[in-house]
Amino acid sequence: MHIDEADGGKMQHEEPRVYTIREVAAQFHMQPSTLRYYEEQGLLTNVGRTASGQRIYEECHINRLRAICCFKNAGMTIEDLKKFFIYEQDEPAHIDEILALLESRRKTLDEQRRALNEAAMHVQRKLHYYGDIKRALDAGERLPDWGNYKTHVYSIDC
């Protein structure tokens, strides 16, 4: 909103910000075809059009896309997203389904996190082991034994 001095200082409502398909695609680092696909799948609804037929996205679409991207990054399928957004339309009637869907995703993410941590630890062990081999070779010393590394716990902090 802004005050229009020419209109006697009355408050004027600004038009809501709209975005083109290219602007939205660039903002979310995706192809315009992905946005059209999300619309076809019913994930993006009520996308307006200009007189020439170009899509017009509003802030509600941007917010929905943030949720879609977050859930997609968490591994949700298109079918899971469809269910979630249908359930979300009537949260009280579908609260158990929403919680079950999110809890299932959380469990899967926890399993993936554990597997990634295990893989990262193995890579850290190998880095230390092969780094020590290189130092031993450079110094003309005895090569290290893998047995001393395979259970050692290293930091895997980012």
Side-chain angles (χ1 to χ4, degrees), residues 63-149:
N63 293 335
R64 173 64 67 98
L65 277 166
R66 282 189 189 107
I68 290 169
C69 290
C70 180
F71 285 143
K72 289 284 292 170
N73 287 337
M76 271 194 184
T77 65
I78 294 295
E79 290 308 312
D80 287 342
L81 286 165
K82 286 179 183 180
K83 287 178 195 173
F84 179 81
F85 291 130
I86 288 169
Y87 297 157
E88 194 178 50
Q89 289 174 7
D90 186 3
E91 291 166 341
H94 295 285
I95 195 67
D96 291 333
E97 292 95 336
I98 291 170
L99 290 170
L101 183 63
L102 294 174
E103 181 61 23
S104 171
R105 181 62 10 218
R106 185 196 59 79
K107 285 180 181 177
T108 300
L109 287 169
D110 287 347
E111 291 167 13
Q112 290 172 337
R113 187 180 303 117
R114 280 191 290 280
L116 280 172
N117 285 341
E118 187 176 313
M121 184 58 62
H122 187 70
V123 168
Q124 282 295 78
R125 288 181 184 122
K126 289 293 189 178
L127 279 169
H128 282 272
Y129 176 60
Y130 288 110
D132 288 349
I133 286 176
K134 179 167 178 28
R135 282 186 281 285
L137 289 170
D138 291 346
E141 297 173 352
R142 189 169 159 253
L143 297 181
D145 178 5
W146 170 246
N148 296 327
Y149 295 81

